[in-house]
Amino acid sequence: MRILVSIDDTDNLESRGTGEIASLLAKLLEEQEWGKAQVITRHQLLVHPDIPYTSHNSAMCFAAEIKEQHFEEYLQIARQFLAKESAPGSDPGLCVVDLERLKNEVELKEFAFKAKKIVLNKEEAYEVAAKTGAYLSEHGGEGIGVIGALAGAGLRLSGNDGRLRGKLKVNAPTRLITSGEIKQQSGVEVVHSTEGQMIEDDELIYLGETIKAVMLDGRTTLLVFPNQTEDAKWQTCTKNYLKQF
Amino acid sequence: MWKINDKGEKVFSLGKEAWQEAVAVASVCTYFSLDDDDELVSEEERSCYNCRYRRWIPESFVCLK
């Protein structure tokens, strides 16, 4: 079965980040040989004075294939793990969506995109979770991480939000590499320009300091923009540009 | 460079796009600590915008140190 696992608000200023916790949750699934996790995406939620986030208010989510007989056990372990690993003072939330049993998908996505624009509360999150069949739980503090956790799942489901956790692994000593080689080495599915132009596999790209992918149209995507030099027609985007995703 | 908001917090008064100034401030700050890679937004690593002690607010960030 295919699931989404999303978490939010597990950290404090000094602790490891929510991304690392998500990574450990994904690893746990694979170590038990219960399934295989896909990339982790980071989803930016609303920054607002009425929302008590730690420093940036982002949720982390991954999709996974899991053997059905291990689903309940994994859910149990994930709950315990989150309760144990979350930092003091945090308000962790966990959302797990069984994609085959998901109802009212549109409502989940609507909630998710609303969480990027307006202040939502826990009651609204639980209401949407009940309508959609998403599993939602809180694990300490005020538990308001359930809002971001549910939103993170909806945003991942949309396929059009978030940047991938970590940097793409690409080996190019000269910093010049073709689009096709990038896809082959990193596993990124698509390379296209910030204007939406597909980059052919034989086109050269200059790798900047940041080689990060984003999620667009349900595919892991490396965005590039026109390069000013003659070496390559394209170059990877800066962190500053990518922060909008 | 800084102003105090009504909660008594130290707010960076130049907003979210003052890249050079955020680098200059961080270069002499003894509390600077690089945030997780996934949260970095400035190409210059040592920048208040990349610091784990900055808390983003709608118009800028609050320095928590």
Side-chain angles (χ1 to χ4, degrees):
Chain A
M1 60 194 283
R2 191 164 162 74
I3 60 172
L4 294 176
V5 179
S6 176
I7 58 172
D8 185 33
D9 214 333
T10 67
D11 60 352
N12 65 25
L13 280 179
E14 308 293 344
S15 71
R16 56 183 166 197
T18 301
E20 193 176 341
I21 301 273
S23 176
L24 291 169
L25 274 175
K27 198 173 160 189
L28 207 121
L29 178 74
E30 296 186 348
E31 277 175 353
Q32 300 284 346
E33 298 184 352
W34 290 346
K36 176 111 181 94
Q38 295 180 347
V39 293
I40 296 169
T41 41
R42 175 205 183 275
H43 302 277
Q44 181 64 54
L45 305 172
L46 181 68
V47 165
H48 188 280
D50 292 344
I51 303 176
Y53 51 88
T54 307
S55 65
H56 21 68
N57 201 24
S58 58
M60 294 279 178
C61 184
F62 63 89
E65 286 288 344
I66 183 169
K67 293 171 189 163
E68 195 155 359
Q69 66 267 32
H70 296 300
F71 177 68
E72 287 298 330
E73 199 173 353
Y74 179 67
L75 195 56
Q76 187 66 17
I77 287 179
R79 285 167 53 97
Q80 289 167 356
F81 183 81
L82 208 60
K84 181 168 157 256
E85 296 296 328
S86 294
S90 64
D91 306 289
L94 169 70
C95 177
V96 180
V97 178
D98 172 354
L99 290 172
E100 284 152 32
R101 294 188 185 130
L102 174 65
K103 297 169 283 181
N104 299 314
E105 183 177 329
V106 172
E107 199 158 346
L108 178 56
K109 288 180 191 167
E110 278 174 0
F111 175 87
F113 281 98
K114 268 202 292 189
K116 292 174 82 74
K117 291 178 185 157
I118 61 171
V119 180
L120 299 168
N121 61 42
K122 273 199 325 189
E123 289 66 36
E124 289 168 287
Y126 280 117
E127 195 179 315
V128 171
K131 282 185 190 167
T132 58
Y135 175 83
L136 195 59
S137 59
E138 51 190 88
H139 300 280
E142 301 292 320
I144 53 159
V146 291
I147 303 164
L150 185 67
L155 291 167
R156 177 63 178 260
L157 186 65
S158 79
N160 273 309
D161 190 83
R163 45 186 198 253
L164 271 61
R165 181 171 187 264
K167 292 175 183 165
L168 296 181
K169 292 188 177 75
V170 180
N171 180 27
T174 63
R175 292 196 169 271
L176 292 173
I177 186 167
T178 65
S179 165
E181 283 174 283
I182 289 175
K183 288 194 273 188
Q184 198 173 26
Q185 287 189 30
S186 69
V188 75
E189 293 168 278
V190 180
V191 179
H192 72 64
S193 76
T194 51
E195 301 297 318
Q197 181 188 338
M198 280 291 174
I199 309 300
E200 298 297 327
D201 282 356
D202 60 353
E203 290 197 70
L204 268 179
I205 292 164
Y206 177 79
L207 300 178
E209 291 300 317
T210 306
I211 316 174
K212 281 187 83 71
V214 298
M215 192 63 85
L216 285 175
D217 294 330
R219 295 186 293 183
T220 54
T221 304
L222 180 69
L223 291 175
V224 296
F225 68 96
N227 187 21
Q228 302 301 320
T229 71
E230 291 177 359
D231 295 339
K233 195 173 164 188
W234 305 99
Q235 71 179 69
T236 51
C237 292
T238 61
K239 291 185 183 74
N240 181 19
Y241 181 84
L242 293 172
K243 73 178 180 181
Q244 67 186 286
F245 291 92
Chain B
M1 201 75 83
W2 302 100
K3 59 185 177 188
I4 305 297
N5 67 13
D6 53 8
K7 293 179 186 167
E9 298 167 323
K10 199 168 84 169
V11 177
F12 187 62
S13 58
L14 301 176
K16 294 181 172 179
E17 300 289 334
W19 303 96
Q20 289 178 0
E21 291 82 355
V23 168
V25 173
S27 71
V28 293
C29 178
T30 54
Y31 294 110
F32 176 82
S33 175
L34 193 65
D35 202 355
D36 288 347
D37 182 70
D38 298 299
E39 304 301 340
L40 307 185
V41 296
S42 170
E43 291 299 306
E44 284 290 331
E45 202 165 77
R46 195 176 177 107
S47 162
C48 291
Y49 292 157
N50 288 347
C51 180
R52 69 161 53 221
Y53 299 120
R54 53 92 178 88
R55 182 178 190 269
W56 294 110
I57 56 174
E59 70 281 9
S60 183
F61 71 87
V62 166
C63 174
L64 299 167
K65 282 292 182 182

